Coordinates of all heavy atoms in Angstrom, one line a residue:
M1 N 8.2 -1.0 -1.2 CA 7.5 0.2 -1.0 C 8.5 1.4 -1.3 O 9.2 1.9 -0.4 CB 7.1 0.3 0.5 CG 6.0 -0.7 0.9 SD 4.5 -0.4 0.0 CE 3.6 -1.9 0.4
S2 N 8.5 1.9 -2.4 CA 9.4 3.0 -2.8 C 8.6 4.3 -2.7 O 9.3 5.4 -2.8 CB 9.9 2.8 -4.2 OG 8.8 2.8 -5.1
H3 N 7.4 4.3 -2.5 CA 6.7 5.6 -2.3 C 7.1 6.3 -1.1 O 7.3 5.7 0.0 CB 5.1 5.3 -2.3 CG 4.6 4.8 -3.6 ND1 4.6 5.5 -4.7 CD2 4.1 3.6 -3.9 CE1 4.1 4.8 -5.7 NE2 3.8 3.6 -5.2
T4 N 7.1 7.6 -1.1 CA 7.4 8.3 0.1 C 6.1 8.4 0.9 O 5.0 8.2 0.3 CB 7.8 9.8 -0.2 OG1 6.8 10.4 -0.9 CG2 9.1 9.8 -1.1
K5 N 6.2 8.6 2.1 CA 5.1 8.6 3.0 C 4.0 9.6 2.6 O 2.8 9.4 2.6 CB 5.5 8.9 4.4 CG 4.5 8.4 5.5 CD 5.1 8.7 6.9 CE 5.9 7.6 7.4 NZ 6.3 7.8 8.8
R6 N 4.5 10.8 2.1 CA 3.5 11.8 1.9 C 2.6 11.5 0.7 O 1.5 12.0 0.6 CB 4.2 13.1 1.5 CG 5.0 13.7 2.7 CD 5.2 15.2 2.6 NE 3.9 15.9 2.5 CZ 3.1 16.2 3.5 NH1 3.4 15.8 4.7 NH2 2.0 16.9 3.3
H7 N 3.1 10.7 -0.2 CA 2.2 10.4 -1.4 C 1.7 9.0 -1.4 O 1.0 8.6 -2.3 CB 3.1 10.7 -2.6 CG 3.5 12.1 -2.8 ND1 2.5 13.1 -3.1 CD2 4.6 12.8 -2.5 CE1 3.2 14.3 -3.1 NE2 4.4 14.1 -2.8
A8 N 2.0 8.2 -0.4 CA 1.4 6.9 -0.3 C -0.1 7.1 0.0 O -0.6 8.1 0.5 CB 2.0 6.1 0.8
S9 N -0.9 6.1 -0.4 CA -2.3 6.1 -0.1 C -2.4 6.1 1.4 O -1.7 5.4 2.1 CB -3.1 5.0 -0.7 OG -2.6 3.7 -0.2
R10 N -3.5 6.7 1.9 CA -3.6 6.9 3.4 C -4.2 5.7 4.0 O -5.4 5.7 4.2 CB -4.3 8.2 3.7 CG -3.6 9.4 3.2 CD -2.2 9.5 3.7 NE -1.5 10.7 3.2 CZ -1.5 11.8 3.9 NH1 -2.0 11.9 5.0 NH2 -0.9 12.8 3.3
H11 N -3.5 4.6 4.1 CA -4.0 3.5 4.8 C -4.3 3.9 6.2 O -3.7 4.8 6.8 CB -2.9 2.3 4.8 CG -1.7 2.7 5.5 ND1 -0.7 3.5 4.9 CD2 -1.2 2.5 6.8 CE1 0.3 3.7 5.8 NE2 0.0 3.1 6.9
H12 N -5.2 3.2 6.8 CA -5.5 3.4 8.2 C -4.4 2.9 9.0 O -4.1 1.7 8.9 CB -6.9 2.7 8.6 CG -7.5 3.3 9.8 ND1 -6.9 3.2 11.0 CD2 -8.7 3.9 10.0 CE1 -7.7 3.8 11.9 NE2 -8.8 4.2 11.3
P13 N -3.8 3.7 9.9 CA -2.7 3.1 10.7 C -3.2 2.0 11.6 O -4.4 1.9 11.9 CB -2.3 4.3 11.6 CG -2.8 5.5 10.8 CD -4.0 5.1 10.1
G14 N -2.3 1.1 11.9 CA -2.6 0.0 12.7 C -3.0 0.4 14.2 O -2.9 1.5 14.6
S15 N -3.3 -0.6 14.9 CA -3.8 -0.4 16.3 C -2.7 0.1 17.2 O -3.0 0.5 18.3 CB -4.5 -1.7 16.9 OG -3.5 -2.7 16.9
D16 N -1.5 0.0 16.8 CA -0.4 0.5 17.6 C -0.2 2.0 17.5 O 0.5 2.6 18.3 CB 1.0 -0.2 17.3 CG 1.3 -0.1 15.8 OD1 0.4 0.1 15.0 OD2 2.5 -0.3 15.4
W17 N -0.9 2.6 16.6 CA -0.9 4.1 16.5 C -1.9 4.7 17.5 O -3.0 4.2 17.6 CB -1.3 4.5 15.1 CG -0.2 4.3 14.1 CD1 0.1 3.2 13.3 CD2 0.9 5.2 13.8 NE1 1.2 3.4 12.5 CE2 1.7 4.6 12.8 CE3 1.2 6.5 14.3 CZ2 2.8 5.3 12.3 CZ3 2.3 7.1 13.7 CH2 3.1 6.5 12.8
V18 N -1.4 5.7 18.1 CA -2.3 6.4 19.1 C -2.6 7.8 18.6 O -1.6 8.5 18.2 CB -1.5 6.5 20.5 CG1 -2.4 7.3 21.5 CG2 -1.2 5.1 21.0
V19 N -3.8 8.1 18.6 CA -4.2 9.5 18.2 C -3.9 10.4 19.4 O -4.4 10.3 20.5 CB -5.7 9.6 17.9 CG1 -6.0 11.1 17.6 CG2 -6.0 8.7 16.6
Q20 N -3.0 11.3 19.2 CA -2.5 12.2 20.2 C -3.4 13.5 20.3 O -3.6 13.9 21.4 CB -1.1 12.6 20.0 CG -0.4 13.4 21.1 CD 1.1 13.6 20.9 OE1 1.5 13.7 19.7 NE2 1.9 13.5 21.9
D21 N -3.8 14.0 19.2 CA -4.4 15.2 19.2 C -5.2 15.4 17.9 O -4.7 15.0 16.9 CB -3.4 16.3 19.3 CG -4.0 17.7 19.6 OD1 -5.1 17.8 20.3 OD2 -3.4 18.7 19.2
V22 N -6.4 15.9 18.0 CA -7.2 16.4 16.8 C -7.7 17.7 17.1 O -8.3 17.9 18.2 CB -8.4 15.4 16.5 CG1 -9.0 15.8 15.2 CG2 -7.9 14.0 16.5
R23 N -7.5 18.7 16.2 CA -8.0 20.0 16.5 C -8.2 20.7 15.2 O -7.6 20.3 14.1 CB -7.1 20.8 17.4 CG -5.8 21.2 16.8 CD -5.0 22.1 17.7 NE -4.2 21.3 18.6 CZ -3.0 21.7 19.1 NH1 -2.7 23.0 18.9 NH2 -2.3 21.0 19.8
S24 N -9.0 21.8 15.2 CA -9.1 22.6 14.0 C -8.0 23.6 13.9 O -7.5 24.1 15.0 CB -10.5 23.2 14.0 OG -10.6 24.1 15.1
Y25 N -7.6 23.8 12.7 CA -6.6 24.8 12.5 C -7.1 25.9 11.5 O -7.7 25.5 10.6 CB -5.3 24.2 11.8 CG -4.5 23.3 12.7 CD1 -5.0 22.0 12.9 CD2 -3.4 23.7 13.4 CE1 -4.2 21.1 13.7 CE2 -2.6 22.9 14.2 CZ -3.1 21.6 14.4 OH -2.4 20.7 15.2
A26 N -6.8 27.1 11.8 CA -7.1 28.2 10.8 C -5.9 28.4 9.9 O -6.0 28.8 8.8 CB -7.4 29.5 11.6
Y27 N -4.7 28.0 10.4 CA -3.5 28.1 9.6 C -2.5 27.1 10.2 O -2.4 27.0 11.4 CB -2.9 29.5 9.7 CG -1.6 29.6 8.9 CD1 -1.6 29.9 7.5 CD2 -0.4 29.3 9.5 CE1 -0.5 29.9 6.8 CE2 0.8 29.4 8.8 CZ 0.7 29.7 7.4 OH 1.9 29.7 6.7
W28 N -1.9 26.3 9.4 CA -0.8 25.4 9.9 C 0.4 25.8 9.1 O 1.4 26.2 9.7 CB -1.2 24.0 9.7 CG -0.1 23.1 10.2 CD1 0.5 23.2 11.4 CD2 0.5 22.0 9.5 NE1 1.5 22.2 11.5 CE2 1.5 21.5 10.4 CE3 0.3 21.4 8.3 CZ2 2.3 20.4 10.1 CZ3 1.1 20.3 8.0 CH2 2.1 19.8 8.9
R29 N 0.4 25.7 7.8 CA 1.5 26.2 7.0 C 1.1 26.3 5.6 O 0.0 25.9 5.3 CB 2.7 25.2 7.1 CG 2.4 23.8 6.5 CD 3.6 23.0 6.5 NE 3.4 21.6 6.0 CZ 3.2 21.2 4.8 NH1 3.2 22.1 3.8 NH2 3.0 19.9 4.5
A30 N 1.8 26.9 4.8 CA 1.5 27.0 3.4 C 1.5 25.6 2.7 O 2.3 24.8 3.1 CB 2.4 27.9 2.6
G31 N 0.6 25.4 1.8 CA 0.6 24.1 1.1 C -0.7 23.5 1.0 O -1.7 24.0 1.6
V32 N -0.8 22.4 0.4 CA -2.0 21.6 0.2 C -1.7 20.1 0.5 O -0.7 19.6 0.1 CB -2.6 21.8 -1.2 CG1 -3.8 20.9 -1.5 CG2 -2.9 23.2 -1.5
D33 N -2.6 19.5 1.2 CA -2.5 18.0 1.4 C -3.9 17.4 1.1 O -4.9 18.1 1.0 CB -2.0 17.8 2.8 CG -1.3 16.4 2.9 OD1 -1.3 15.6 1.9 OD2 -0.7 16.2 4.0
D34 N -3.9 16.1 1.0 CA -5.2 15.4 0.7 C -5.9 15.1 2.1 O -5.2 14.7 3.0 CB -4.9 14.1 0.0 CG -4.3 14.3 -1.4 OD1 -4.5 15.4 -1.9 OD2 -3.7 13.3 -1.8
C35 N -7.2 15.3 2.1 CA -8.0 14.9 3.2 C -7.8 13.3 3.3 O -7.9 12.6 2.3 CB -9.4 15.2 3.0 SG -10.5 14.5 4.3
A36 N -7.4 12.9 4.5 CA -7.1 11.5 4.7 C -8.4 10.6 4.6 O -8.3 9.4 4.4 CB -6.5 11.3 6.1
A37 N -9.5 11.2 4.7 CA -10.8 10.4 4.6 C -11.4 10.5 3.2 O -11.7 9.4 2.6 CB -11.8 11.0 5.6
C38 N -11.5 11.6 2.6 CA -12.2 11.7 1.3 C -11.3 12.1 0.2 O -11.7 12.0 -1.0 CB -13.4 12.7 1.4 SG -13.0 14.4 1.5
G39 N -10.1 12.5 0.5 CA -9.1 12.8 -0.6 C -9.2 14.1 -1.3 O -8.4 14.4 -2.2
V40 N -10.1 15.0 -0.9 CA -10.1 16.3 -1.5 C -8.9 17.1 -1.1 O -8.2 16.8 0.0 CB -11.4 17.1 -1.1 CG1 -12.6 16.3 -1.5 CG2 -11.4 17.5 0.3
D41 N -8.5 18.1 -1.9 CA -7.4 18.9 -1.5 C -7.8 19.8 -0.3 O -8.9 20.4 -0.3 CB -7.0 19.9 -2.7 CG -6.4 19.1 -3.8 OD1 -5.9 18.0 -3.6 OD2 -6.2 19.7 -4.9
V42 N -6.9 19.9 0.6 CA -7.1 20.7 1.8 C -6.0 21.7 1.9 O -4.8 21.4 1.9 CB -7.0 19.8 3.1 CG1 -7.2 20.7 4.4 CG2 -8.1 18.7 3.1
A43 N -6.4 23.0 1.9 CA -5.5 24.1 2.0 C -5.0 24.2 3.4 O -5.8 24.5 4.3 CB -6.1 25.4 1.5
L44 N -3.7 24.1 3.6 CA -3.2 24.0 5.0 C -3.1 25.4 5.6 O -2.9 25.6 6.8 CB -1.9 23.3 5.0 CG -1.9 21.9 4.5 CD1 -0.5 21.3 4.5 CD2 -2.8 21.0 5.3
D45 N -3.3 26.4 4.7 CA -3.3 27.8 5.3 C -4.7 28.3 5.4 O -5.0 29.5 5.5 CB -2.5 28.7 4.4 CG -3.0 28.7 2.9 OD1 -3.9 28.0 2.6 OD2 -2.4 29.5 2.1
D46 N -5.7 27.4 5.4 CA -7.1 27.8 5.6 C -7.7 26.8 6.6 O -7.0 25.9 7.1 CB -7.9 27.7 4.3 CG -9.1 28.6 4.3 OD1 -9.5 29.1 5.4 OD2 -9.6 28.8 3.2
D47 N -8.9 27.0 7.0 CA -9.6 26.1 8.0 C -9.5 24.7 7.6 O -9.8 24.3 6.5 CB -11.0 26.5 8.2 CG -11.2 27.9 8.8 OD1 -10.2 28.4 9.4 OD2 -12.3 28.5 8.7
H48 N -9.0 23.8 8.5 CA -9.0 22.4 8.3 C -8.8 21.7 9.7 O -8.6 22.4 10.7 CB -7.9 22.0 7.4 CG -6.5 22.2 7.9 ND1 -5.9 23.4 8.0 CD2 -5.6 21.3 8.4 CE1 -4.6 23.3 8.5 NE2 -4.4 22.0 8.7
Y49 N -8.8 20.4 9.7 CA -8.5 19.7 10.9 C -7.2 18.9 10.7 O -7.0 18.4 9.7 CB -9.6 18.7 11.2 CG -10.9 19.3 11.7 CD1 -11.8 19.9 10.9 CD2 -11.1 19.4 13.1 CE1 -13.0 20.5 11.4 CE2 -12.2 20.0 13.6 CZ -13.2 20.6 12.7 OH -14.3 21.2 13.2
G50 N -6.4 18.9 11.8 CA -5.2 18.2 11.8 C -5.2 17.2 12.9 O -5.7 17.4 14.0
M51 N -4.6 16.0 12.6 CA -4.6 14.9 13.6 C -3.1 14.5 13.7 O -2.4 14.2 12.8 CB -5.4 13.7 13.1 CG -5.3 12.5 14.0 SD -6.2 11.1 13.4 CE -7.9 11.6 13.4
E52 N -2.7 14.5 15.0 CA -1.3 14.0 15.3 C -1.4 12.6 15.9 O -2.2 12.3 16.7 CB -0.7 14.9 16.4 CG -0.8 16.4 16.1 CD 0.3 16.9 15.2 OE1 1.2 16.1 14.9 OE2 0.3 18.0 14.8
L53 N -0.6 11.7 15.3 CA -0.6 10.3 15.8 C 0.9 10.0 16.1 O 1.8 10.5 15.5 CB -1.1 9.4 14.7 CG -2.5 9.6 14.2 CD1 -2.4 10.3 12.8 CD2 -3.2 8.3 14.0
F54 N 1.0 9.0 17.0 CA 2.4 8.5 17.2 C 2.3 7.0 17.6 O 1.2 6.5 18.0 CB 3.1 9.3 18.3 CG 2.6 9.0 19.7 CD1 3.2 8.1 20.5 CD2 1.4 9.7 20.2 CE1 2.7 7.8 21.8 CE2 1.0 9.4 21.5 CZ 1.6 8.5 22.3
R55 N 3.4 6.4 17.5 CA 3.5 5.0 18.0 C 4.9 4.8 18.5 O 5.9 5.4 18.0 CB 3.2 4.0 17.0 CG 4.1 3.9 15.8 CD 3.7 2.7 14.9 NE 4.5 2.7 13.7 CZ 4.4 1.8 12.7 NH1 3.5 0.8 12.9 NH2 5.1 1.9 11.6
E56 N 5.1 4.0 19.5 CA 6.4 3.7 20.0 C 7.0 2.6 19.1 O 6.3 1.7 18.6 CB 6.3 3.2 21.4 CG 5.9 4.3 22.3 CD 5.8 3.9 23.8 OE1 5.8 2.6 24.0 OE2 5.8 4.7 24.7
R57 N 8.3 2.7 18.8 CA 8.9 1.8 17.9 C 10.3 1.5 18.3 O 11.1 2.4 18.6 CB 8.9 2.5 16.5 CG 9.4 1.7 15.4 CD 9.3 2.6 14.2 NE 9.6 1.7 13.0 CZ 9.9 2.2 11.8 NH1 10.0 3.5 11.7 NH2 10.1 1.4 10.8
A58 N 10.6 0.3 18.5 CA 12.0 -0.1 18.9 C 12.9 -0.1 17.6 O 12.6 -0.7 16.6 CB 11.9 -1.5 19.4
T59 N 13.9 0.7 17.7 CA 14.9 0.8 16.6 C 16.3 0.5 17.2 O 16.8 1.3 18.0 CB 14.8 2.2 16.0 OG1 13.5 2.5 15.7 CG2 15.7 2.3 14.8
E60 N 16.8 -0.6 16.7 CA 18.2 -1.0 17.1 C 18.3 -0.9 18.6 O 19.3 -0.3 19.2 CB 19.2 -0.1 16.4 CG 19.2 -0.3 14.9 CD 20.1 0.8 14.2 OE1 20.7 1.6 15.0 OE2 20.2 0.7 13.0
G61 N 17.4 -1.5 19.3 CA 17.5 -1.6 20.8 C 17.0 -0.4 21.5 O 16.8 -0.4 22.7
K62 N 16.8 0.8 20.8 CA 16.3 2.0 21.5 C 14.9 2.1 21.2 O 14.4 1.9 20.0 CB 17.1 3.2 21.0 CG 18.5 3.2 21.4 CD 19.1 4.6 21.1 CE 19.0 5.0 19.6 NZ 19.7 6.2 19.3
L63 N 14.1 2.6 22.1 CA 12.7 2.9 21.9 C 12.6 4.3 21.3 O 12.9 5.3 21.9 CB 12.0 2.8 23.2 CG 10.5 2.7 23.1 CD1 10.0 1.5 22.4 CD2 9.8 2.7 24.5
G64 N 12.1 4.3 20.1 CA 11.8 5.6 19.5 C 10.3 5.8 19.3 O 9.5 5.0 19.5
V65 N 10.0 7.0 18.9 CA 8.6 7.4 18.7 C 8.5 7.8 17.2 O 9.3 8.7 16.8 CB 8.2 8.5 19.6 CG1 6.7 8.9 19.2 CG2 8.2 8.0 21.0
E66 N 7.6 7.2 16.5 CA 7.3 7.6 15.1 C 6.1 8.4 15.1 O 5.1 8.1 15.8 CB 7.1 6.3 14.3 CG 7.0 6.5 12.8 CD 6.9 5.2 12.1 OE1 6.8 4.1 12.7 OE2 6.9 5.2 10.9
R67 N 6.1 9.5 14.3 CA 5.0 10.4 14.3 C 4.4 10.5 12.9 O 5.1 10.4 11.9 CB 5.4 11.8 14.8 CG 5.8 11.8 16.2 CD 6.2 13.2 16.8 NE 6.6 13.1 18.1 CZ 5.8 13.0 19.2 NH1 4.5 13.0 19.0 NH2 6.3 12.9 20.4
E68 N 3.1 10.8 12.9 CA 2.4 11.0 11.6 C 1.4 12.1 11.8 O 0.9 12.4 12.9 CB 1.7 9.7 11.3 CG 0.9 9.7 10.0 CD 1.7 9.5 8.8 OE1 2.0 8.4 8.4 OE2 2.2 10.6 8.3
R69 N 1.2 12.8 10.7 CA 0.2 13.9 10.8 C -0.7 13.7 9.6 O -0.3 13.6 8.5 CB 0.8 15.3 10.8 CG -0.2 16.4 11.0 CD 0.5 17.8 11.0 NE -0.4 18.8 11.5 CZ -1.3 19.4 10.8 NH1 -1.5 19.2 9.5 NH2 -2.1 20.4 11.4
L70 N -2.0 13.7 9.9 CA -3.0 13.6 8.9 C -3.8 14.9 8.9 O -4.0 15.5 9.9 CB -3.9 12.4 9.1 CG -3.3 11.0 9.2 CD1 -4.3 10.0 9.5 CD2 -2.6 10.7 7.9
V71 N -4.4 15.2 7.7 CA -5.2 16.4 7.6 C -6.6 16.0 7.1 O -6.7 15.0 6.4 CB -4.7 17.5 6.8 CG1 -3.3 18.0 7.3 CG2 -4.5 17.1 5.3
F72 N -7.6 16.7 7.5 CA -9.0 16.4 7.2 C -9.7 17.7 6.8 O -9.4 18.8 7.3 CB -9.7 15.8 8.3 CG -9.2 14.5 8.8 CD1 -8.2 14.4 9.7 CD2 -9.6 13.3 8.2 CE1 -7.6 13.2 10.1 CE2 -9.1 12.1 8.6 CZ -8.1 12.0 9.5
C73 N -10.6 17.6 5.9 CA -11.3 18.8 5.4 C -12.4 19.2 6.3 O -12.8 20.4 6.3 CB -11.8 18.6 4.0 SG -13.1 17.3 3.9
S74 N -12.9 18.3 7.2 CA -14.0 18.6 8.0 C -14.1 17.7 9.2 O -13.4 16.7 9.2 CB -15.4 18.5 7.2 OG -15.6 17.1 6.9
R75 N -14.8 18.1 10.2 CA -15.0 17.3 11.4 C -15.7 15.9 11.0 O -15.4 14.9 11.6 CB -15.9 18.0 12.4 CG -16.1 17.3 13.7 CD -14.9 17.4 14.6 NE -14.6 16.2 15.3 CZ -13.6 16.1 16.2 NH1 -12.8 17.1 16.5 NH2 -13.4 14.9 16.8
G76 N -16.6 16.0 10.0 CA -17.2 14.8 9.6 C -16.3 13.8 9.0 O -16.4 12.6 9.3
C77 N -15.3 14.3 8.3 CA -14.2 13.3 7.8 C -13.4 12.8 8.9 O -13.0 11.6 8.9 CB -13.4 14.1 6.8 SG -14.1 14.0 5.1
V78 N -13.1 13.6 9.9 CA -12.4 13.1 11.1 C -13.2 11.9 11.7 O -12.6 10.8 12.0 CB -12.1 14.2 12.2 CG1 -11.5 13.6 13.4 CG2 -11.2 15.3 11.6
D79 N -14.5 12.1 11.9 CA -15.3 11.1 12.6 C -15.4 9.9 11.7 O -15.3 8.7 12.1 CB -16.7 11.7 12.8 CG -16.7 12.7 14.0 OD1 -15.7 12.7 14.7 OD2 -17.6 13.5 14.0
A80 N -15.5 10.1 10.4 CA -15.6 9.0 9.4 C -14.4 8.1 9.5 O -14.4 6.9 9.4 CB -15.9 9.5 8.0
W81 N -13.2 8.8 9.5 CA -11.9 8.1 9.5 C -11.7 7.3 10.8 O -11.1 6.3 10.8 CB -10.8 9.2 9.3 CG -9.5 8.6 9.1 CD1 -8.9 8.2 7.9 CD2 -8.5 8.2 10.1 NE1 -7.7 7.7 8.1 CE2 -7.4 7.7 9.5 CE3 -8.5 8.4 11.5 CZ2 -6.3 7.3 10.2 CZ3 -7.4 7.9 12.2 CH2 -6.3 7.4 11.6
L82 N -12.2 7.9 11.9 CA -12.0 7.2 13.2 C -12.9 6.0 13.4 O -12.6 5.1 14.2 CB -12.3 8.2 14.3 CG -11.3 9.3 14.6 CD1 -11.8 10.3 15.6 CD2 -9.9 8.7 15.1
H83 N -13.9 5.9 12.6 CA -14.8 4.8 12.7 C -14.9 3.9 11.5 O -14.1 4.0 10.6 CB -16.3 5.3 13.1 CG -16.3 6.1 14.3 ND1 -16.5 7.4 14.4 CD2 -16.1 5.7 15.6 CE1 -16.5 7.8 15.6 NE2 -16.2 6.8 16.4
Ligands
ZN1 ZN1 -12.6 15.1 3.7

């Protein structure tokens, strides 16, 4: 797996991932990311939905938390992705 996380295909995270927060954003930061559900370009400085996920992960004996952020173009895509 040499792909970086940002450009890997958006596999559905496993059941150990917990959705922490989903909300609409009018602005998050400059840039564009792919909708995790339908793949269209999402302008991060315009209206979109952001999802924060995390999972606990043991690393060298210490419990760490791994975080992921997905973006969606619409509420419908959030719902489609969740189901
Ligand atoms: Zn979408």
Side-chain angles (χ1 to χ4, degrees):
M1 293 296 171
S2 61
H3 294 293
T4 64
K5 198 181 271 186
R6 292 202 62 76
H7 295 286
S9 63
R10 299 306 179 93
H11 61 279
H12 200 298
S15 58
D16 52 339
W17 284 91
V18 177
V19 177
Q20 186 173 35
D21 190 31
V22 185
R23 74 176 88 153
S24 61
Y25 290 81
Y27 178 89
W28 181 48
R29 63 173 174 79
V32 174
D33 206 350
D34 296 337
C35 174
C38 73
V40 303
D41 288 347
V42 177
L44 302 177
D45 58 356
D46 204 347
D47 291 342
H48 69 283
Y49 285 83
M51 178 185 290
E52 311 276 352
L53 303 100
F54 74 93
R55 67 174 171 178
E56 292 181 344
R57 186 182 190 195
T59 307
E60 293 172 1
K62 292 192 301 186
L63 193 64
V65 175
E66 188 178 5
R67 295 184 182 281
E68 178 78 89
R69 187 180 195 274
L70 301 177
V71 300
F72 298 88
C73 65
S74 68
R75 184 78 219 182
C77 276
V78 174
D79 291 341
W81 187 89
L82 287 172
H83 300 108

